[in-house]
């Protein structure tokens, strides 16, 4: 495994928020690099590892093109000292560093990969730079970082061809044509990525294209190639990675042996990587005070209490707390912790609640208006088992911590206190309560300073209880329907399997990539097969490219899809149904996404298929409680586009929503300049829909061209026409990016922040990814804020008015309720009213209602 170290450290720096040690040394890049390194070592399990560093600019590249990389910004000051830390980290991991004076890491890596290949080894190159894809072949793969520090993409020859339509050896020619802004290479003006790919694929090479410009196909392109051909050659030559450096390496020294627990502990302690440190055991010769400090205070523990007098004292202490202004309650296993202020704490075991006086004191405390928790939903679930009713928390320190840094979930108290207070709460429930109170004392003023108190108090805190009640309610499942569907899927699988066998002329394990590859590319001799480390590549990217011409490939893809439906949903869901009530109880994660959207796990009900009839049929198994009840589905209509109209202030878009027009039809009319007598075609509406939603996700001209199945210049024309018709939208998007660069974050309507420090990155791919996140986050996050606020309002109405309705699921822009049939006429308009009135926007919010016995057969409800 060869590490492009500079690129990975830069990636980590811009992916993580600012982190510093107690001495003020910034460590976010070093910490992120360590996290990446640990993940790579665990997943790749390399025999040898080498870290390559840049050490100067190759003289021959500068001679060819003096402006090479000349426009790059200076290294950020907080990053500069962290490379020394990274070298220390590599030393502890026993990973040798290889660098050569006046050479770039790319050329060092290329030379090492060639040497490894000559020795019969396979190589994985880890980088943030797509230039290294030139090196991909049957023995060398490239793993590139895509988002953050954990999302990676693996490139073998088939994946390179899938992305570029070219062989890896053609990528330098491709780069010569299109240029590379990140390296200041101009290429040929007017030729973008798609055109460059087509030209190189058609001509075979840049030299062949320059020798015969007519191969370009159009007069315009021929003229550009003749005019800028020499410039393209220079850009190509500068882009070529050298594989012939005189690099000597001691491969035995590069053999990777994992560092010991003690070595890692000392490293993490020095770096103050507390979250990593606490996963290790302290060395016997290293005093415990080198760990993160524990909170110190006046703690009283009744955990071991067995005598009645002890329980009397405990009850008195809890009663005294009930009279205080604010009380923190934490749970960890069997222990409960309580405190009313930092520096103190009370601890006792759950079993103490069986004592009458203790129980009565806790029930009185349960009514305290400012009873605070760490992870209120989890705590209340545990206390529900002990007979305590659901209630709204006074505070939730976990949610406060997450709002301050939405990139982290803070599922444990230790993660939050180590992040913000640099203390380890330890195992004592009293100290844990103290640490949680200190955390709350820290986070609330910061939330107020950031104008996020309303978001916290009016949405996130009350929502925790609502989600807990939804989890407890669950949704009824008709397992008989799933059994019936399983039978249909079995029949479909059998039919597909037999057709595949008929094409193959033999039976084999279709699910085995080795056997499938043998049949397709050896026995049937289908061209286009590619081998990887384990044999023939048979991924979707390979089979999809062959499916149109070779029916067996399409059948294999269909077989995989139907098999996945059966194995992932139809067979699994019945196993997750609680046998006590016949209902499925998912878990809603309130602090799992950076945008504020909820996620669902165990199982993920937000991922139930919506495409394909067999996939949608799974929803038929989700049913109302009984014959006296129905499901009510309430869905926000085009919410993110309505938010775009509101936030941008675009008059034309607002007018369309005010008039109740189909926004995609309206956009098509604007894009294609249709008059009132003309009707937008289905194709024009499809294109308008792609453009509308493409903007929400920061889609580039290149991405839009792919979705529209057109060339990049046409996509650019359509984008220009769109912004000409909706000029305020362009201004809003540009303003969002500018504010994001300036502040380091973007915000939702309710003030939720999404940190995007990579907007300032000088790495093009990193920066462009951050720009897409920055454009989308205010819209997706505002939609999440709106939905959460609506849930709080509806839950309050249901409780106050004693409605015969239960909120069951939240699926992105949709809410699912179980409603008594004879109460539907009252509940449905209430739900619509609360959802449409949750926020006052400059465009109307529209909610569509559907009702039915099951989730699949719900029909429009107009009552």
């Amino acid at each position: 495994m060869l590490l492009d170290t500079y690129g990975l450290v830069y990636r980590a720096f811009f992916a993580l928020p600012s982190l510093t040690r107690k001495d003020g040394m910034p460590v976010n890049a070093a910490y992120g690099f360590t996290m990446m390194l640990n993940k790579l070592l665990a997943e790749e399990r390399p025999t040898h590892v080498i870290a390559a560093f840049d050490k100067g600019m190759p003289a021959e590249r500068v001679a060819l093109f003096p402006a090479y990389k000349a426009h790059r910004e200076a290294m950020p000051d907080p990053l500069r000292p962290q490379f020394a830390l990274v070298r220390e980290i590599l030393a502890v991991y026993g990973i040798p560093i290889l660098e050569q004076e006046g050479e770039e890491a790319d050329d060092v890596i290329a030379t090492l990969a060639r040497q490894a290949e000559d020795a019969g080894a396979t190589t994985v190159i880890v980088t943030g730079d797509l230039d290294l894809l030139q090196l991909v072949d049957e023995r060398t793969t490239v793993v590139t970082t895509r988002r953050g520090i954990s999302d990676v993409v693996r490139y073998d020859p088939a994946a390179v061809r899938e992305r570029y339509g070219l062989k890896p050896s053609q990528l330098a020619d491709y780069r010569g044509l299109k240029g590379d802004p990140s390296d200041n290479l101009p290429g040929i003006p007017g030729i973008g990525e798609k055109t460059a790919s087509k030209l190189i694929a058609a001509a075979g090479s840049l030299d062949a294209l320059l020798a015969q410009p007519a191969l370009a196909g159009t007069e315009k392109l021929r003229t550009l190639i003749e005019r800028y051909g020499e410039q393209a050659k220079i850009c190509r030559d500068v882009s070529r990675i050298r594989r012939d450096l005189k690099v000597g390496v001691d491969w035995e020294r590069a053999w990777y042996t994992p560092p010991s627990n003690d070595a890692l502990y000392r490293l993490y302690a020095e770096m103050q990587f507390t979250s990593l440190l606490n996963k290790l055991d302290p060395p016997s010769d290293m005093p415990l005070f080198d760990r993160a400090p524990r909170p110190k205070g006046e703690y009283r523990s009744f955990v071991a209490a067995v005598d009645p007098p002890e329980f009397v004292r405990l009850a008195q202490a809890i009663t005294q707390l009930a009279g205080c202004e604010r009380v923190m309650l934490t749970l960890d296993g069997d222990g409960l912790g309580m405190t009313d202020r930092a520096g103190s704490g009370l601890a006792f075991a759950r079993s103490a609640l069986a004592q009458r006086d203790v129980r009565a004191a806790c029930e009185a405390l349960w009514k305290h208006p400012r009873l605070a928790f760490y992870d209120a939903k989890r705590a209340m679930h545990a206390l529900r088992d002990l007979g305590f009713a659901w209630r709204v928390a006074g505070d939730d320190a976990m949610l406060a911590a997450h709002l301050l840094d939405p990139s982290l979930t803070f599922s444990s108290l230790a993660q939050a206190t180590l992040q913000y207070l640099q203390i380890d709460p330890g195992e004592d429930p009293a100290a844990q309560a103290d640490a949680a109170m200190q955390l709350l004392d820290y986070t609330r003023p910061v939330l107020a300073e950031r104008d996020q108190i309303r978001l916290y108090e009016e949405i996130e805190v009350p929502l925790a209880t609502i989600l807990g009640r939804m989890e407890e309610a669950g949704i009824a499942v008709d397992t008989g329907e799933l059994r019936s569907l399983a039978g249909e899927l079995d029949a479909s699988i059998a039919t597909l399997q037999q057709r595949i066998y008929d094409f193959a002329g033999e039976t084999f394990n279709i699910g085995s990539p080795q056997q499938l590859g043998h049949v397709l590319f050896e026995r049937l001799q289908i061209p286009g097969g590619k081998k990887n480390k384990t044999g023939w590549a048979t991924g979707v990217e390979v089979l999809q490219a062959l499916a149109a011409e070779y029916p067996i490939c399409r059948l294999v893809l269909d077989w995989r899809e139907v098999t996945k439906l059966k194995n992932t949903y139809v067979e699994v869901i019945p196993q997750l149904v609680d046998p006590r009530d016949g209902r499925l109880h998912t878990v809603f994660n309130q602090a799992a996404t950076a945008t504020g959207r909820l996620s669902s796990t165990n199982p993920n009900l937000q991922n139930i298929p919506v495409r394909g009839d067999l996939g949608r049929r799974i929803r038929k198994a989700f049913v109302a409680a009984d014959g006296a009840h129905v499901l009510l589905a309430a869905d926000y209509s085009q919410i993110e586009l309505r938010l775009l109209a509101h936030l941008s202030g675009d008059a034309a878009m607002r007018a369309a929503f005010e008039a109740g027009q189909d926004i995609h039809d309206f956009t098509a009319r604007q894009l294609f300049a249709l008059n009132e007598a003309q009707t937008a075609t289905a194709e024009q509406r499809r294109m308008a829909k792609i453009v509308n939603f493409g903007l929400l996700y920061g889609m580039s001209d290149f991405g839009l061209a792919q979705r529209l199945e057109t060339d990049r210049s046409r996509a650019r024309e359509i984008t220009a026409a769109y912004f000409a018709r909706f000029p305020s939208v362009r201004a809003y998007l540009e303003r969002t990016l500018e504010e994001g660069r300036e502040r380091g974050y973007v915000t939702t309507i309710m003030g939720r922040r999404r940190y995007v420090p990579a907007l300032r990155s000088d790495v093009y791919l990193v920066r462009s990814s951050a720009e897409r996140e920055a454009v989308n986050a205010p819209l997706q996050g505002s939609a999440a804020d709106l939905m959460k606020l609506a849930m709080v309002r509806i839950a309050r109405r249901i409780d106050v008015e004693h409605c015969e309705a239960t909120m069951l699921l939240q699926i992105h822009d949709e809410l699912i309720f179980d409603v008594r049939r004879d109460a539907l006429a009252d509940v449905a308009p209430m739900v619509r009213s609360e959802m449409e009135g949750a926020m006052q926007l400059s465009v109307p919010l529209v909610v569509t209602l559907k009702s039915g016995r099951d989730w699949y057969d719900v029909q429009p409800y107009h009552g």
Side-chain angles (χ1 to χ4, degrees):
M1 185 165 73
L2 302 175
L3 306 175
D4 179 13
T5 317
Y6 268 104
L8 296 176
V9 175
Y10 261 88
R11 178 66 173 174
F13 178 80
F14 289 108
L16 296 180
S18 175
L19 298 172
T20 58
R21 294 192 314 207
K22 291 179 181 177
D23 60 4
M25 168 70 80
V27 293
N28 64 326
Y31 174 74
F33 175 81
T34 306
M35 295 289 285
M36 281 193 279
L37 183 59
N38 286 342
K39 182 174 186 291
L40 290 163
L41 292 171
E43 293 179 353
E44 300 296 336
R45 302 177 67 85
T47 56
H48 301 73
V49 186
I50 296 174
F53 276 76
D54 293 316
K55 199 172 185 182
M57 193 80 73
E60 62 272 24
R61 287 197 178 112
V62 176
L64 275 171
F65 192 72
Y68 177 58
K69 296 187 178 181
H71 72 308
R72 290 196 173 182
E73 297 176 3
M75 183 185 296
D77 288 336
L79 174 58
R80 201 177 299 279
Q82 296 192 61
F83 282 99
L85 303 183
V86 169
R87 290 175 182 269
E88 291 180 34
I89 292 164
L90 291 168
V92 172
Y93 277 78
I95 297 173
I97 292 170
L98 203 55
E99 54 193 344
Q100 191 158 315
E101 192 68 38
E103 300 293 350
E104 294 183 274
D106 288 6
D107 304 296
V108 173
I109 288 171
T111 301
L112 293 178
R114 179 186 58 77
Q115 292 178 9
E117 188 168 332
D118 291 345
T122 57
T123 302
V124 173
I125 297 169
V126 187
T127 181
D129 188 354
L130 293 177
D131 291 353
L132 284 165
L133 295 185
Q134 298 174 47
L135 307 180
V136 170
D137 59 26
E138 300 302 329
R139 287 190 169 274
T140 301
T141 56
V142 170
V143 171
T144 66
T145 52
R146 180 165 54 185
R147 287 187 295 271
I149 60 173
S150 60
D151 189 6
V152 298
V153 183
R154 183 180 302 275
Y155 287 95
D156 59 13
V160 172
R161 181 171 289 279
E162 172 71 15
R163 173 159 183 166
Y164 296 100
L166 300 171
K167 296 181 291 187
S169 59
Q170 294 174 303
L171 292 181
D173 286 358
Y174 159 82
R175 197 163 177 247
L177 279 181
K178 78 169 188 67
D180 187 343
S182 67
D183 284 346
N184 206 31
L185 299 177
I188 294 182
I191 292 184
E193 296 174 356
K194 191 168 184 179
T195 303
S197 294
K198 287 182 177 179
L199 290 175
I200 297 300
S205 70
L206 178 60
D207 290 334
L209 182 63
L210 297 182
Q212 298 183 63
L215 292 173
T218 69
E219 184 63 22
K220 178 182 177 182
L221 289 175
R222 184 188 65 77
T223 302
L224 287 173
I225 289 165
E226 289 176 344
R227 179 178 301 174
Y228 297 103
E230 284 303 309
Q231 180 170 288
K233 282 179 66 176
I234 292 172
C235 291
R236 185 269 313 276
D237 293 343
V238 169
S239 298
R240 277 179 173 159
I241 297 176
R242 291 184 57 190
R243 309 179 192 212
D244 59 351
L245 297 185
K246 294 180 179 180
V247 175
V249 58
D250 182 354
W251 290 103
E252 287 302 313
R253 182 167 166 261
W255 181 272
Y256 180 69
T257 302
S260 68
N261 173 88
D262 288 6
L264 284 180
Y265 190 96
R266 294 176 190 280
L267 171 69
Y268 295 164
E270 177 189 351
M271 299 292 175
Q272 295 174 19
F273 295 165
T274 47
S275 61
L276 295 176
L277 186 68
N278 283 277
K279 297 177 181 178
L280 301 173
D281 297 321
S284 58
D285 61 344
M286 189 171 184
L288 286 177
F289 59 75
D290 280 341
R291 293 175 66 97
R294 300 286 175 85
K296 296 179 180 179
E298 299 176 3
Y299 302 138
R300 289 177 293 168
S301 178
F302 293 85
V303 171
V306 292
D307 297 324
E310 283 287 276
F311 291 120
V312 170
R313 291 179 59 206
L314 172 59
Q316 291 172 345
I318 295 171
T319 301
Q320 185 177 358
L321 283 175
C324 298
E325 181 181 355
R326 182 176 65 182
V327 180
M328 172 64 71
L329 186 155
T330 59
L331 284 89
D332 184 14
D334 188 48
L336 285 87
M338 294 180 179
T339 187
D340 69 312
R341 65 189 185 280
S344 70
L346 174 72
F348 60 97
R350 290 194 206 190
S351 57
L353 291 168
Q355 304 297 316
R356 185 180 62 183
D357 290 348
V358 175
R359 175 80 185 198
C362 285
E363 287 178 345
L365 178 65
W366 195 247
K367 299 174 184 178
H368 195 297
R370 294 202 63 190
L371 183 60
F373 300 84
Y374 188 90
D375 193 354
K377 177 162 70 72
R378 181 184 62 82
M380 289 187 203
H381 269 305
L383 291 168
R384 284 284 290 158
D385 294 338
L386 299 173
F388 288 84
W390 288 104
R391 56 152 295 165
V392 176
D395 270 296
D396 190 327
M398 182 193 77
L399 296 178
H402 173 67
L403 283 177
L404 294 187
D405 188 349
S407 67
L408 299 175
T409 62
F410 298 111
S411 56
S412 72
L413 173 62
Q415 184 186 17
T417 58
L418 288 167
Q419 171 84 0
Y420 294 113
L421 307 176
Q422 292 77 52
I423 61 173
D424 179 356
E427 309 301 325
D428 181 355
Q432 291 174 349
D434 178 14
M437 183 65 89
Q438 290 186 48
L439 180 66
L440 201 57
D441 289 341
Y442 171 83
T443 53
R444 280 192 63 97
V446 180
L447 288 172
E449 181 185 334
R450 296 182 177 185
D451 294 326
Q452 292 181 302
I453 280 291
R454 184 181 171 219
L455 172 65
Y456 167 70
E457 291 184 338
E458 297 184 18
I459 296 181
E460 296 297 344
V461 172
L463 183 68
T465 302
I466 294 167
L467 295 176
R469 293 170 66 178
M470 291 167 63
E471 292 171 356
E472 184 178 79
I475 185 169
V477 174
D478 182 350
T479 54
E481 180 64 34
L482 290 174
R483 284 194 297 271
S484 174
L485 181 56
E488 293 182 42
L489 291 173
D490 284 337
S492 180
I493 289 169
T495 299
L496 289 166
Q497 184 172 278
Q498 188 56 53
R499 292 184 65 193
I500 292 168
Y501 292 160
D502 290 344
F503 273 102
E506 62 177 278
T507 62
F508 64 99
N509 182 357
I510 303 170
S512 165
Q514 290 80 13
Q515 293 185 37
L516 177 62
H518 170 77
V519 168
L520 296 180
F521 304 117
E522 294 180 21
R523 190 179 187 286
L524 299 181
Q525 294 289 302
I526 292 177
K530 300 292 182 182
K531 281 195 170 182
N532 54 32
K533 290 187 293 185
T534 59
W536 292 101
T538 58
V540 63
E541 70 283 350
V542 175
L543 300 188
Q544 193 72 54
L546 300 170
E549 192 170 351
Y550 300 95
I552 188 174
C553 296
R554 167 51 57 195
L555 289 170
V556 170
L557 290 173
D558 292 343
W559 177 88
R560 286 178 179 174
E561 182 178 353
V562 177
T563 302
K564 179 181 178 181
L565 287 176
K566 182 172 183 287
N567 295 340
T568 305
Y569 301 105
V570 177
E571 287 190 341
V572 172
I573 289 175
Q575 299 174 28
L576 298 174
V577 172
D578 190 329
R580 295 171 297 180
D581 59 10
R583 301 176 75 85
L584 192 65
H585 301 271
T586 188
V587 175
F588 290 102
N589 305 303
Q590 194 175 352
T593 69
T595 60
R597 297 183 84 172
L598 296 176
S599 69
S600 166
T601 51
N602 298 324
N604 181 4
L605 295 185
Q606 298 197 340
N607 205 29
I608 297 294
V610 295
R611 296 178 182 174
D613 186 60
L614 284 174
R616 288 195 302 272
R617 281 272 307 282
I618 295 172
R619 297 185 172 215
K620 195 171 183 65
F622 294 89
V623 298
D626 52 41
H629 291 77
V630 293
L631 295 183
L632 174 66
D635 191 358
Y636 276 117
S637 172
Q638 298 176 334
I639 184 57
E640 291 184 6
L641 288 171
R642 292 175 189 272
L643 286 165
L644 178 62
H646 171 77
L647 291 170
S648 68
D650 191 89
M653 191 174 286
R654 284 184 176 183
F657 280 120
E658 286 284 355
Q661 293 183 254
D662 177 336
I663 191 63
H664 301 312
D665 181 76
F666 178 80
T667 302
R669 290 179 166 282
Q670 301 298 308
L671 280 177
F672 300 104
L674 303 179
N675 59 41
E676 292 185 4
Q678 295 174 296
T679 302
T681 66
E683 176 63 12
Q684 288 172 331
R685 188 183 183 280
R686 181 189 74 85
M687 295 174 72
K689 186 175 182 179
I690 290 171
V691 174
N692 274 330
F693 285 115
L695 284 172
L696 296 180
Y697 297 99
M699 191 178 290
S700 64
D701 290 339
F702 177 73
L704 188 61
Q706 287 186 314
R707 292 292 306 278
L708 294 174
E709 299 176 350
T710 186
D711 58 57
R712 195 171 179 182
S713 61
R714 175 60 177 148
R716 194 177 294 114
E717 290 172 3
I718 291 173
T719 302
Y722 183 96
F723 285 129
R725 296 291 182 174
F726 303 114
S728 297
V729 171
R730 178 191 286 277
Y732 163 72
L733 297 177
E734 290 176 349
R735 185 169 65 251
T736 298
L737 290 175
E738 183 57 36
E739 290 176 355
R741 291 188 195 98
E742 199 173 296
R743 301 184 300 192
Y745 63 87
V746 293
T747 62
T748 67
I749 288 177
M750 293 295 296
R752 188 185 306 276
R753 294 186 179 186
R754 175 72 184 271
Y755 288 91
V756 278
L759 284 174
R760 298 178 180 177
S761 173
D762 61 357
V763 180
Y764 173 75
L765 289 174
V766 174
R767 186 175 64 253
S768 59
S769 174
E771 287 173 351
R772 289 191 293 274
E773 291 176 359
V775 166
N776 177 242
L779 299 167
Q780 190 178 99
S782 292
D785 292 348
L786 170 63
M787 174 57 83
K788 288 178 174 180
L789 185 56
M791 292 171 72
V792 172
R793 289 164 60 105
I794 293 169
R796 188 178 297 127
R797 286 282 298 273
I798 288 175
D799 287 344
V800 170
E801 299 175 15
H802 305 289
C803 298
E804 295 184 277
T806 304
M807 195 183 303
L808 302 180
L809 301 177
Q810 189 270 331
I811 313 293
H812 304 310
D813 301 330
E814 182 180 23
L815 286 175
I816 308 294
F817 301 84
D818 190 287
V819 183
R820 187 170 178 84
R821 192 182 296 272
D822 55 15
L824 184 62
D826 295 323
V827 173
M830 179 274 288
V831 168
R832 171 181 276 144
S833 172
E834 293 298 337
M835 290 179 71
E836 292 182 347
M839 282 185 185
Q840 296 301 312
L841 304 182
S842 57
V843 296
L845 291 171
V846 174
V847 171
T848 59
L849 299 177
K850 294 181 179 181
S851 179
R853 180 77 184 88
D854 61 68
W855 194 9
Y856 177 80
D857 288 322
V858 288
Q859 300 297 316
Y861 179 82
H862 303 293

